[in-house]
Amino acid sequence: MFKKIAIGAVAGLALFAGFVATRPDTFTVTRSATVPGSPDIAFGLVNDFHQWNQWSPWEGLDPDMKRTFGGAESGVGATYAWTGNDDVGQGQMTIEEASVNASIRVKLEFIKPFASTSITTFAFKPADTGTTVHWTMTGDHNFISKAMCLFMDMDQVVGKDFEKGLASLKTAAQAEATKRAEAEAKASVAAPTP
């Protein structure tokens, strides 16, 4: 009896492992939103890791999170490392490419709760009502992440965070656009007329 149960369990595990192995080797999560203002506003909020506290959906998950900024002040070579609770884990981001007001490529490396590396890209395109921001993350699945995705939908889980982040980016971009408009109005009033 025990032998039959053991053979059945091994066969079940083998079938499960075989099924997991057939799952996609890569993943892509993408969301987009139109934010107020010209592309330089949204680009500036993403290209400078010091600005991420205004819009990143993960910034508020651990009030005691430790942050370390390194490399360039912003743009290519800028780094942002964090260590926090179970909600945020530990990892680092590095800006690898930045095309002014057009696109940014970020290497995202998680250390905890499990090691993984992904590429995150942001694309900024002028729109009638501001700037359309496309936020995309791509990466590779190992066996464990393939198995996890049988029980949770990566697009839904990460996609919700992207949606929250883009909504906050919209608020931050609106604040910056308003600030600039007010500064321009004051400057035009203060400027002497010829």
Side-chain angles (χ1 to χ4, degrees):
M1 175 75 161
F2 177 75
K3 186 176 179 182
K4 287 182 181 180
I5 293 172
I7 291 171
V10 169
L13 285 173
L15 285 172
F16 177 74
F19 179 70
V20 168
T22 66
R23 307 312 301 152
D25 293 329
T26 61
F27 68 88
T28 300
V29 177
T30 263
R31 294 293 187 276
S32 62
T34 300
V35 304
S38 54
D40 64 299
I41 293 176
F43 179 86
L45 289 165
V46 177
N47 195 47
D48 182 354
F49 285 133
H50 299 89
Q51 302 299 319
W52 282 47
N53 63 339
Q54 295 185 61
W55 62 269
S56 171
W58 303 289
E59 284 292 321
L61 295 178
D62 180 3
D64 298 321
M65 183 167 70
K66 292 177 178 42
R67 299 165 181 85
T68 307
F69 300 96
E73 185 68 20
S74 64
V76 176
T79 63
Y80 172 35
W82 72 91
T83 302
N85 62 20
D86 291 343
D87 292 329
V88 296
Q90 180 181 358
Q92 176 174 301
M93 293 185 288
T94 304
I95 297 179
E96 295 187 321
E97 296 174 13
S99 178
V100 178
N101 302 333
S103 64
I104 298 169
R105 174 187 161 108
V106 178
K107 181 178 182 181
L108 171 61
E109 300 169 277
F110 276 101
I111 299 164
K112 292 179 182 176
F114 53 86
S116 69
T117 301
S118 302
I119 297 298
T120 303
T121 57
F122 295 85
F124 309 89
K125 303 226 186 255
D128 291 339
T129 58
T131 301
T132 300
V133 180
H134 297 278
W135 186 359
T136 302
M137 182 168 68
T138 59
D140 296 324
H141 278 307
N142 59 25
F143 182 82
I144 292 171
S145 62
K146 285 182 181 183
M148 287 173 55
C149 285
L150 294 175
F151 306 101
M152 94 180 162
D153 185 334
M154 183 100 168
D155 184 75
Q156 286 182 347
V157 172
V158 176
K160 285 179 185 175
D161 289 339
F162 280 16
E163 290 163 12
K164 181 180 175 187
L166 287 168
S168 296
L169 185 64
K170 186 174 186 175
T171 301
Q174 180 63 64
E176 180 61 25
T178 301
K179 181 175 151 186
R180 289 185 185 188
E182 288 171 355
E184 286 175 16
K186 283 181 185 177
S188 68
V189 168
T193 54

